[in-house]
Amino acid sequence: MMTSTATLASGTPKKAIDSLMLRYLVLIGLIVIASVGFSIANENFYSLTNIGILLRSIAVLFLLAMGMTFIMLTGGIDLSIGSNVAFSGAVGVLTLVTTGSAALGFATSILAGMLIGGINGFFIGRLKLSPFMVSLATYALARGLALVLYDANSINVDNAAFLWLGGVSWGNMPVVIPFVALVFIALSVLLYQTPFGRDVYAAGANANTAFVLGRRPERTLVWVYVLSGALAGLSAIITVGRVSSGQPWAGLYLEFDAITAVILGGTSLFGGRGKLLGTILGVLLYGIIINGLVLTGTNPYLQSLIKGLILLGVVLLDTLTQKGKAA
Amino acid sequence: MSNRIDMKGITKSFFATKALDNVDFSCHASEVHALVGLNGAGKSTLMKVLGGIYSSDEGTIEVDGAAVTIKTPVDADNAGISMIHQELSLINELTVAGNIFLGRELKRAGTPFLDKREMARRVKAELDRFGLMLDPNMPVRELNSGEKQIVEIIRALMSNSWLIVMDEPTSALSEEDKERLFGFIERMKQEGIAIIYISHHMPEIFGIAERVTVMRDGEIVLSERIAETSEPAVIRSMTGRELAHFEKPHKEIAGEPLLTVDALSKPGSFEDVSFEVRPGEIVVLTGLRGCGAPELAKSVFGLDGDYTGTVSYLGSPLVPGRGPAVAVREGMGLVTENRDKNGILPALSVRDNIALPFLEKALRGGVLSRGHIEAVVDKAIRDTSTKTSSPDQEIRFLSGGNKQKICFSRWLDDDLKLLILLEPTRGIDVHAKADIYRIIEDLAGRGVGVLLLSYEIDEVTMLADRVITMYQGKSIARYNYPEFDKDQMLADMAGARI
């Protein structure tokens, strides 16, 4: 009996690593296939200009999806990030307009994002309410606050420093892309090299056990939502920079895109499994598909339908693979 | 109506282990037959064969002398056999009558509508027959656990069951509910029902049963009429051979107490319990399920603060309910009794499962040192002889015994001073048990104080430097190594007088 357990045990870990690697290879393959397909359909797809446009358009999605990865690793979800981009953008833009200081604008934008995240974190972590319901409430709340602050009108921004991150390119390379890379490295260190990162996985894998082992999963949850809020604040600054104005309807449906990209990248809906690299690949593939649909002139209504089908497909895939792992 | 069941020559093996070896067991109308034995003796397996959950490898079951085939729970139902489980299976939102008629509701003639009045009337009639006061229209949610049990039994009786199997029916009941249940059992006897009663509690068995059968290691070792046996005889026959091979090493226990528990009480769980644990000492709490020992151990760890009395640790009193984070920082560890619920993190690697409690110690310049973690984890795996192909392996692929070793190995830190173990060998095989015993002795040898809860008498006497027996929340007696009297301990646990 002992030998059979040992053999069983020795056969499986390779498979576990392989399945993650396999997933990433499949994603890379799909990225290549999608790129080739769209470049055949539209010769502009492969131009450096378009790649710049593509990367800039998904820069915000990279940031939000990385925040969403932390949250989904804890087994949670954050529906408020899209609305939070509008709200924290409003706070930043209004601060900029009233004080004229770009630095203050940056700071208040990020703080405003963290505030919404903190509200999510408090109710979800401390009061143990359902992440879905709490962030659905803040989804409406943040959008409402943004509409109130903007008085439902957009505000033009011409402060060069404030617009730099989202608007400036070095040649065909938008500056926001190296910035996203820096955030990726910083978040990777946070997730893989600090006790906080291990606590994120532990909270998603089994919060009861984490608690008994003297960790504080309830605190971890609060900080994970604050982090997601801070990234929404950063995304707001980039969004304002991209269009040179603050918009009350900014960030619409971004939570949908981020959730789809994260699950596409192999992070489990059920918590405890996933990596930031997968999310990066998920965002790339998702971004290429959406960008390609635009370039090939696909009917916008059909685009939404395709997005819905992609999400349904990846959720089904995740649930089927996780079912095999349960027991 | 049937009036007799005979199980003959029942044999059942799981892989190489014989769980039941040629067992004969019978029960007839108007009789309460008590079935007793230590954990793992085969009682549950025998009852699962009777209930159609397991099918036996050999042997026959006869009702009134005619062989019947019981391969599924539905077969058992059709034969008139009902199991009343510890985990009750009622639907809280439905009424008493709604639960009893669930799945075979009465309809008003010629309509698809429920005839609630007639269902309530029939339930009331049945309740009256057994002299029970209960409103058939009351939602089950408003009943206490004793009343819920009665509803389960009435449901069984109203679906024409004539044999009722009760597994530790009093473990969750108040004194008042117990008295009522015993009254109900007396009435069922008068009405010609046969009852198989699984229990460890000697006073209950000698109060209501006509016959008692004791199982040990899958065999019947005693089967007598109650009048022809005695509590000491039953208890003696329960004690088994030593299973895991393990020799307790000699050691000196000295020094100031690490932990002092003084007059600790929590209503409904434990009452006025006091003891000390010194460095290197293994103190074992033992009793039957429901004796209050796990609640006591959790209070010491700080998971539960709802108690009176004091817990002092390293000479100073602890704040009740301060939480595990503080406990771990102060050098306490806990291995819980339910691995899957709060012992392991199934999706994570063996490495993450081991390293979690002491992550902060692996910080070098603000980030985790992979080298440090590797060293700690490799040592932990080696010291506990855990079988895993690699620390990267997800823990859910490991066997129960190896998972349990991981639950231990994560506490093998130099700063650990007190380890609390709840049923440390529950559900693991004999080889893993011996390894676990060795780990516990190693820890004690290093000066770690161990507070251990075990329900297995052999394990208790094998490991303990001191044993505290508990019955219904009270500490009954203490025994110091090597003066362990198993019969006396079992009698303490069962509330019996010898």
Side-chain angles (χ1 to χ4, degrees):
Chain A
M1 219 165 109
M2 291 298 281
T3 33
S4 73
T5 352
T7 350
L8 179 73
S10 63
T12 32
K14 269 188 207 141
K15 213 178 104 202
I17 295 165
D18 280 354
S19 80
L20 203 60
M21 284 307 290
L22 186 71
R23 177 117 191 181
Y24 295 163
L25 287 174
V26 168
L27 280 173
I28 292 170
L30 288 175
I31 288 170
V32 171
I33 292 168
S35 310
V36 171
F38 284 124
S39 60
I40 292 167
N42 184 323
E43 68 270 22
N44 286 332
F45 185 86
Y46 247 149
S47 69
L48 278 179
T49 329
N50 184 50
I51 291 175
I53 290 170
L54 167 69
L55 288 176
R56 183 183 299 187
S57 72
I58 58 175
V60 161
L61 194 53
F62 276 122
L63 296 183
L64 294 175
M66 285 193 275
M68 189 68 81
T69 307
F70 276 75
I71 285 173
M72 293 184 62
L73 282 174
T74 68
I77 199 158
D78 186 352
L79 302 177
S80 69
I81 50 174
S83 305
N84 197 0
V85 167
F87 166 70
S88 49
V91 173
V93 166
L94 287 176
T95 310
L96 177 73
V97 169
T98 36
T99 66
S101 157
L104 266 182
F106 286 146
T108 51
S109 180
I110 291 168
L111 284 174
M114 291 168 79
L115 174 73
I116 299 292
I119 294 172
N120 286 332
F122 176 76
F123 283 100
I124 295 164
R126 292 288 171 176
L127 304 186
K128 305 197 189 312
L129 303 189
S130 140
F132 186 91
M133 296 318 297
V134 170
S135 66
L136 186 62
T138 48
Y139 160 89
L141 189 138
R143 182 68 65 190
L145 285 174
L147 285 162
V148 168
L149 289 174
Y150 278 120
D151 199 15
N153 293 311
S154 59
I155 297 175
N156 286 328
V157 175
D158 52 11
N159 182 308
F162 199 88
L163 298 179
W164 182 78
L165 186 59
V168 173
S169 290
W170 295 323
N172 281 318
M173 169 65 81
V175 294
V176 68
I177 291 308
F179 178 74
V180 166
L182 284 178
V183 173
F184 169 69
I185 291 166
L187 290 181
S188 296
V189 171
L190 182 65
L191 187 56
Y192 307 127
Q193 314 270 6
T194 67
F196 173 77
R198 301 290 88 193
D199 281 339
V200 169
Y201 282 96
N206 189 342
N208 289 325
T209 304
F211 178 71
V212 167
L213 297 187
R215 313 310 296 181
R216 299 183 189 271
E218 64 287 354
R219 276 189 202 175
T220 306
L221 286 189
V222 174
W223 285 113
V224 157
Y225 286 90
V226 170
L227 173 70
S228 169
L231 288 165
L234 259 181
S235 301
I237 295 166
I238 295 165
T239 309
V240 171
R242 198 150 73 93
V243 295
S244 306
S245 67
Q247 308 267 3
W249 291 102
L252 205 58
Y253 304 136
L254 274 179
E255 63 286 335
F256 182 96
D257 297 340
I259 291 166
T260 309
V262 170
I263 305 174
L264 192 59
T267 296
S268 168
L269 273 173
F270 306 96
R273 288 195 187 91
K275 288 209 166 357
L276 284 174
L277 178 64
T279 297
I280 295 295
L281 295 175
V283 172
L284 264 178
L285 178 58
Y286 186 73
I288 286 169
I289 293 172
I290 301 305
N291 180 267
L293 291 175
V294 174
L295 279 188
T296 50
T298 310
N299 181 334
Y301 304 142
L302 212 54
Q303 289 176 25
S304 187
L305 190 135
I306 289 168
K307 283 184 180 184
L309 288 177
I310 294 174
L311 182 56
L312 210 51
V314 292
V315 168
L316 181 68
L317 185 68
D318 180 58
T319 307
L320 290 180
T321 44
Q322 295 301 320
K323 250 186 204 153
K325 288 176 181 174
Chain B
M1 193 165 187
S2 320
N3 56 30
R4 182 180 178 87
I5 193 144
D6 287 283
M7 303 177 79
K8 289 181 183 164
I10 304 288
T11 298
K12 173 76 185 168
S13 300
F14 295 104
F15 303 104
T17 323
K18 257 192 180 163
L20 294 174
D21 192 1
N22 198 19
V23 171
D24 294 337
F25 185 84
S26 66
C27 186
H28 60 75
S30 303
E31 177 189 64
V32 173
H33 192 158
L35 183 58
V36 298
L38 299 176
N39 295 319
K43 304 172 308 234
S44 310
T45 311
L46 183 65
M47 288 303 111
K48 281 176 179 164
V49 169
L50 183 61
I53 296 166
Y54 295 152
S55 54
S56 60
D57 302 336
E58 284 168 46
T60 55
I61 301 176
E62 292 173 7
V63 174
D64 294 338
V68 290
T69 312
I70 298 180
K71 289 228 182 295
T72 66
V74 176
D75 294 340
D77 257 7
N78 292 340
I81 300 163
S82 274
M83 309 266 157
I84 307 299
H85 293 285
Q86 283 166 324
E87 307 85 31
L88 303 168
S89 58
L90 300 176
I91 297 173
N92 273 327
E93 304 314 313
L94 293 180
T95 62
V96 170
N99 267 289
I100 288 172
F101 279 96
L102 192 65
R104 48 196 179 86
E105 288 83 356
L106 303 177
K107 309 234 170 73
R108 269 182 256 165
T111 72
F113 302 110
L114 298 180
D115 192 346
K116 292 191 177 173
R117 192 171 300 168
E118 175 62 13
M119 287 193 277
R121 197 191 61 75
R122 291 198 194 176
V123 170
K124 184 88 179 81
E126 189 75 2
L127 286 166
D128 287 345
R129 183 154 82 101
F130 293 100
L132 295 163
M133 300 287 286
L134 209 58
D135 177 2
N137 294 314
M138 191 185 275
V140 158
R141 144 171 50 83
E142 290 173 23
L143 305 182
N144 68 27
S145 44
E147 290 166 332
K148 285 183 184 175
Q149 200 165 40
I150 285 170
V151 174
E152 289 239 14
I153 298 169
I154 292 286
R155 176 163 70 185
L157 296 176
M158 288 186 74
S159 56
N160 294 321
S161 291
W162 61 275
L163 174 64
I164 305 281
V165 180
M166 291 192 227
D167 190 356
E168 294 272 351
T170 57
S171 59
L173 299 193
S174 66
E175 280 308 315
E176 198 187 337
D177 286 330
K178 279 182 201 169
E179 287 310 314
R180 178 161 59 177
L181 179 68
F182 296 148
F184 185 21
I185 290 174
E186 282 301 326
R187 292 293 288 263
M188 281 196 279
K189 271 198 261 186
Q190 291 164 19
E191 297 282 334
I193 305 294
I195 295 164
I196 299 173
Y197 190 94
I198 301 176
S199 177
H200 289 99
H201 294 263
M202 292 302 137
E204 286 177 14
I205 293 167
F206 281 81
I208 59 165
E210 274 67 38
R211 269 200 293 166
V212 56
T213 291
V214 181
M215 291 189 73
R216 190 172 76 203
D217 299 334
E219 292 174 47
I220 305 273
V221 288
L222 178 147
S223 190
E224 293 276 7
R225 299 202 61 77
I226 280 289
E228 284 147 25
T229 186
S230 63
E231 291 187 21
V234 169
I235 283 175
R236 261 197 308 277
S237 65
M238 280 161 67
T239 318
R241 298 183 302 274
E242 316 234 324
L243 281 175
H245 188 72
F246 178 77
E247 292 270 329
K248 190 173 171 62
H250 179 75
K251 67 182 171 194
E252 294 287 332
I253 298 160
E256 290 297 301
L258 204 54
L259 179 80
T260 308
V261 172
D262 187 28
L264 213 61
S265 297
K266 181 185 172 191
S269 294
F270 47 85
E271 203 180 318
D272 195 23
V273 180
S274 303
F275 61 90
E276 290 177 348
V277 181
R278 285 174 293 170
E281 187 176 32
I282 302 174
V283 176
V284 180
L285 302 174
T286 187
L288 302 178
R289 283 181 201 284
C291 68
E295 291 81 2
L296 176 67
K298 284 172 188 171
S299 293
V300 170
F301 190 63
L303 278 172
D304 188 350
D306 212 6
Y307 59 77
T308 58
T310 50
V311 179
S312 303
Y313 178 62
L314 303 173
S316 49
L318 292 174
V319 181
R322 66 209 173 282
V326 180
V328 172
R329 203 171 58 221
E330 290 170 345
M332 278 194 204
L334 173 71
V335 176
T336 61
E337 71 276 45
N338 192 336
R339 260 195 312 276
D340 293 319
K341 180 171 167 250
N342 54 16
I344 62 165
L345 302 123
L348 300 191
S349 65
V350 165
R351 175 188 301 110
D352 280 340
N353 267 282
I354 293 174
L356 204 57
F358 295 106
L359 276 179
E360 277 71 15
K361 289 182 146 191
L363 283 176
R364 299 286 179 275
V367 296
L368 293 172
S369 153
R370 191 155 175 102
H372 178 88
I373 290 180
E374 293 291 332
V376 167
V377 168
D378 286 348
K379 183 170 186 303
I381 291 175
R382 213 170 42 241
D383 285 358
T384 54
S385 38
T386 302
K387 286 189 185 59
T388 173
S389 58
S390 137
D392 289 319
Q393 175 157 26
E394 286 184 24
I395 193 171
R396 65 202 162 87
F397 292 118
L398 269 54
S399 68
N402 283 312
K403 281 182 189 158
Q404 187 69 357
K405 287 180 189 172
I406 303 276
C407 291
F408 272 84
S409 66
R410 55 165 74 112
W411 298 115
L412 303 181
D413 184 276
D414 294 337
D415 287 340
L416 187 78
K417 296 186 186 73
L418 178 70
L419 188 58
I420 300 172
L421 306 171
L422 303 178
E423 301 182 58
T425 60
R426 180 170 171 177
I428 64 178
D429 66 54
V430 178
H431 301 283
K433 269 188 190 181
D435 282 339
I436 298 268
Y437 296 155
R438 187 181 51 72
I439 300 165
I440 295 172
E441 285 295 352
D442 281 355
L443 281 166
R446 277 169 36 187
V448 173
V450 176
L451 178 60
L452 189 149
L453 159 72
S454 174
Y455 295 119
E456 293 182 34
I457 189 73
D458 295 327
E459 180 171 295
V460 169
T461 52
M462 206 184 306
L463 285 172
D465 296 310
R466 198 138 46 90
V467 175
I468 297 168
T469 50
M470 292 185 69
Y471 180 67
Q472 296 186 340
K474 297 196 184 78
S475 63
I476 301 299
R478 48 198 64 203
Y479 303 83
N480 290 316
Y481 178 80
E483 280 112 34
F484 293 148
D485 177 345
K486 281 188 194 178
D487 292 350
Q488 182 60 48
M489 285 179 190
L490 283 166
D492 291 353
M493 297 182 211
R497 312 150 302 270
I498 291 192

